[in-house]
Amino acid sequence: MKNSMLIIPFIALGAMGFTADVSENTYLKPSTTAIQKMQDDPLMAAMNKMMKEMHAQQMKGNTDLDFAKMLRIHHQGALDMAKVEVEQGKDAVMKNIAQKIIDSQTKEAAQLDQLIPTLQSDAKNTTLCARLPALEKR
């Protein structure tokens, strides 16, 4: 009985499209079919694009600049996913949330686009809020 109870989670994982791959150690990974479905999904494509860009981002050791650049990439990912929801979603509440994300993060992305060049050229980053009053209101 105990042995059959231990097998149940593995059966469930198999039903979800996971397979055991013992050729490279023993771990669970999605099956080829599950991977293909994820790659074809526009939300996953937007997420994967964002994550790839964030992981490729070179940190400069300037927290303000690094944060602004990472946040800009993150906002673009949110915008891309929200656009998919607005175009393809069925639920009115979710579509409304997605539109609010588009509205707010488009503005924030524009602020970051203005701020990043300033951060890149300003070694001390001490007077940025004075130059961009809109950021002080947040």
Side-chain angles (χ1 to χ4, degrees), residues 126-136:
T126 56
T127 60
L128 291 175
C129 286
R131 288 189 229 151
L132 294 171
L135 293 177
E136 290 180 332

Side-chain angles (χ1 to χ4, degrees), residues 14 21 57 65 103 112 115:
D21 183 350
Q57 186 63 42
L65 176 61
D103 296 343
L112 290 165
L115 187 56

Side-chain angles (χ1 to χ4, degrees), residues 84-99:
V84 171
E85 174 61 27
V86 167
E87 293 170 7
Q88 298 180 16
K90 305 285 188 263
D91 185 83
V93 173
M94 290 306 301
K95 290 177 77 149
N96 186 41
I97 290 170
Q99 188 59 57

Side-chain angles (χ1 to χ4, degrees), residues 43-62:
L43 289 172
M44 284 305 295
M47 175 70 86
N48 290 335
K49 178 181 177 256
M50 176 191 72
M51 294 303 295
K52 182 178 178 182
E53 290 176 14
M54 289 183 79
H55 284 287
Q57 186 63 42
Q58 296 287 321
M59 296 292 106
K60 304 294 183 193
N62 177 328

Side-chain angles (χ1 to χ4, degrees), residues 108-128:
E108 290 176 15
Q111 289 175 330
L112 290 165
D113 287 341
Q114 284 184 311
L115 187 56
I116 289 169
T118 305
L119 287 166
Q120 288 172 326
S121 64
D122 188 359
K124 294 184 180 179
N125 303 321
T126 56
T127 60
L128 291 175

Side-chain angles (χ1 to χ4, degrees), residues 9-28:
F10 293 106
I11 294 171
L13 286 172
M16 292 176 11
F18 285 81
T19 59
D21 183 350
V22 292
S23 63
E24 300 174 18
N25 299 324
T26 302
Y27 64 94
L28 295 175

Side-chain angles (χ1 to χ4, degrees), residues 71-86:
L71 189 58
R72 180 60 180 91
I73 295 167
H74 191 269
H75 275 38
Q76 187 60 54
L79 288 166
D80 293 344
M81 287 185 278
K83 288 174 185 174
V84 171
E85 174 61 27
V86 167

